[in-house]
Short mmCIF file of all heavy atoms in Angstrom, two decimals:
data_model
loop_
_atom_site.label_atom_id
_atom_site.label_comp_id
_atom_site.label_asym_id
_atom_site.label_seq_id
_atom_site.Cartn_x
_atom_site.Cartn_y
_atom_site.Cartn_z
N THR A 531 -129.58 -68.25 -86.91
CA THR A 531 -130.34 -68.45 -85.68
C THR A 531 -129.78 -67.63 -84.53
O THR A 531 -130.26 -67.59 -83.44
CB THR A 531 -130.40 -69.89 -85.22
OG1 THR A 531 -129.04 -70.38 -85.10
CG2 THR A 531 -131.17 -70.72 -86.27
N ARG A 532 -128.59 -66.95 -84.79
CA ARG A 532 -127.95 -66.20 -83.77
C ARG A 532 -127.16 -65.05 -84.42
O ARG A 532 -127.04 -65.02 -85.60
CB ARG A 532 -127.04 -67.03 -82.94
CG ARG A 532 -125.92 -67.72 -83.73
CD ARG A 532 -124.91 -68.36 -82.90
NE ARG A 532 -123.96 -69.09 -83.71
CZ ARG A 532 -122.92 -68.53 -84.48
NH1 ARG A 532 -122.73 -67.22 -84.35
NH2 ARG A 532 -122.14 -69.28 -85.20
N GLY A 533 -126.64 -64.16 -83.62
CA GLY A 533 -125.82 -63.04 -84.15
C GLY A 533 -124.46 -63.57 -84.46
O GLY A 533 -124.09 -64.58 -83.97
N PRO A 534 -123.67 -62.77 -85.22
CA PRO A 534 -122.33 -63.20 -85.60
C PRO A 534 -121.34 -63.16 -84.50
O PRO A 534 -120.26 -63.71 -84.65
CB PRO A 534 -121.95 -62.19 -86.68
CG PRO A 534 -122.75 -60.97 -86.40
CD PRO A 534 -124.02 -61.46 -85.79
N TYR A 535 -121.71 -62.56 -83.34
CA TYR A 535 -120.72 -62.50 -82.24
C TYR A 535 -121.28 -63.25 -81.05
O TYR A 535 -120.79 -63.03 -79.96
CB TYR A 535 -120.38 -61.04 -81.89
CG TYR A 535 -120.18 -60.23 -83.15
CD1 TYR A 535 -121.08 -59.19 -83.51
CD2 TYR A 535 -119.09 -60.45 -83.94
CE1 TYR A 535 -120.88 -58.44 -84.62
CE2 TYR A 535 -118.86 -59.65 -85.13
CZ TYR A 535 -119.74 -58.70 -85.40
OH TYR A 535 -119.52 -57.93 -86.53
N ASP A 536 -122.33 -64.00 -81.19
CA ASP A 536 -122.92 -64.66 -79.97
C ASP A 536 -122.19 -65.91 -79.64
O ASP A 536 -122.65 -67.05 -79.90
CB ASP A 536 -124.46 -64.95 -80.27
CG ASP A 536 -125.21 -63.71 -80.32
OD1 ASP A 536 -124.80 -62.66 -79.67
OD2 ASP A 536 -126.30 -63.65 -80.97
N TYR A 537 -121.04 -65.75 -78.97
CA TYR A 537 -120.17 -66.87 -78.76
C TYR A 537 -120.84 -67.86 -77.72
O TYR A 537 -120.65 -69.03 -77.78
CB TYR A 537 -118.82 -66.37 -78.17
CG TYR A 537 -117.95 -65.92 -79.31
CD1 TYR A 537 -118.10 -64.67 -79.81
CD2 TYR A 537 -117.09 -66.79 -79.93
CE1 TYR A 537 -117.31 -64.21 -80.88
CE2 TYR A 537 -116.37 -66.42 -81.04
CZ TYR A 537 -116.44 -65.08 -81.51
OH TYR A 537 -115.74 -64.73 -82.61
N HIS A 538 -121.70 -67.27 -76.81
CA HIS A 538 -122.35 -68.07 -75.83
C HIS A 538 -123.43 -68.95 -76.49
O HIS A 538 -123.89 -69.89 -75.88
CB HIS A 538 -122.94 -67.21 -74.70
CG HIS A 538 -123.88 -66.21 -75.19
ND1 HIS A 538 -123.51 -65.17 -76.02
CD2 HIS A 538 -125.24 -66.00 -74.99
CE1 HIS A 538 -124.51 -64.36 -76.26
NE2 HIS A 538 -125.58 -64.90 -75.67
N LEU A 539 -123.91 -68.56 -77.76
CA LEU A 539 -124.96 -69.31 -78.42
C LEU A 539 -124.39 -70.33 -79.45
O LEU A 539 -125.10 -71.17 -79.90
CB LEU A 539 -125.97 -68.39 -79.12
CG LEU A 539 -126.67 -67.41 -78.17
CD1 LEU A 539 -127.54 -66.50 -78.98
CD2 LEU A 539 -127.51 -68.18 -77.12
N ALA A 540 -123.12 -70.12 -79.82
CA ALA A 540 -122.51 -70.94 -80.83
C ALA A 540 -122.07 -72.27 -80.27
O ALA A 540 -121.74 -72.41 -79.12
CB ALA A 540 -121.30 -70.22 -81.46
N SER A 541 -122.13 -73.31 -81.11
CA SER A 541 -121.82 -74.66 -80.59
C SER A 541 -120.32 -74.77 -80.55
O SER A 541 -119.59 -74.08 -81.32
CB SER A 541 -122.46 -75.69 -81.50
OG SER A 541 -121.76 -75.66 -82.82
N GLU A 542 -119.80 -75.64 -79.71
CA GLU A 542 -118.38 -75.88 -79.52
C GLU A 542 -117.72 -76.28 -80.88
O GLU A 542 -116.68 -75.91 -81.28
CB GLU A 542 -118.09 -76.91 -78.50
CG GLU A 542 -118.63 -76.58 -77.13
CD GLU A 542 -117.59 -75.78 -76.31
OE1 GLU A 542 -116.44 -76.30 -76.19
OE2 GLU A 542 -117.94 -74.75 -75.84
N GLU A 543 -118.51 -77.06 -81.69
CA GLU A 543 -117.95 -77.60 -82.90
C GLU A 543 -117.72 -76.38 -83.84
O GLU A 543 -116.75 -76.26 -84.59
CB GLU A 543 -118.90 -78.58 -83.56
CG GLU A 543 -118.93 -79.89 -82.96
CD GLU A 543 -119.60 -79.95 -81.63
OE1 GLU A 543 -120.51 -79.07 -81.42
OE2 GLU A 543 -119.24 -80.76 -80.74
N GLU A 544 -118.67 -75.41 -83.82
CA GLU A 544 -118.52 -74.30 -84.73
C GLU A 544 -117.31 -73.51 -84.36
O GLU A 544 -116.57 -73.07 -85.26
CB GLU A 544 -119.74 -73.41 -84.56
CG GLU A 544 -120.94 -73.77 -85.44
CD GLU A 544 -122.13 -72.89 -85.20
OE1 GLU A 544 -122.31 -72.32 -84.04
OE2 GLU A 544 -122.89 -72.70 -86.09
N LEU A 545 -117.07 -73.33 -83.11
CA LEU A 545 -115.98 -72.42 -82.66
C LEU A 545 -114.58 -73.05 -82.70
O LEU A 545 -113.64 -72.39 -83.03
CB LEU A 545 -116.29 -71.92 -81.25
CG LEU A 545 -117.52 -71.10 -81.14
CD1 LEU A 545 -117.58 -70.45 -79.75
CD2 LEU A 545 -117.56 -70.00 -82.20
#
Side-chain angles (χ1 to χ4, degrees):
Chain A
T531 55
R532 59 169 174 81
Y535 315 113
D536 289 335
Y537 283 84
H538 57 295
L539 300 177
S541 67
E542 299 272 305
E543 286 73 26
E544 277 179 328
L545 296 190

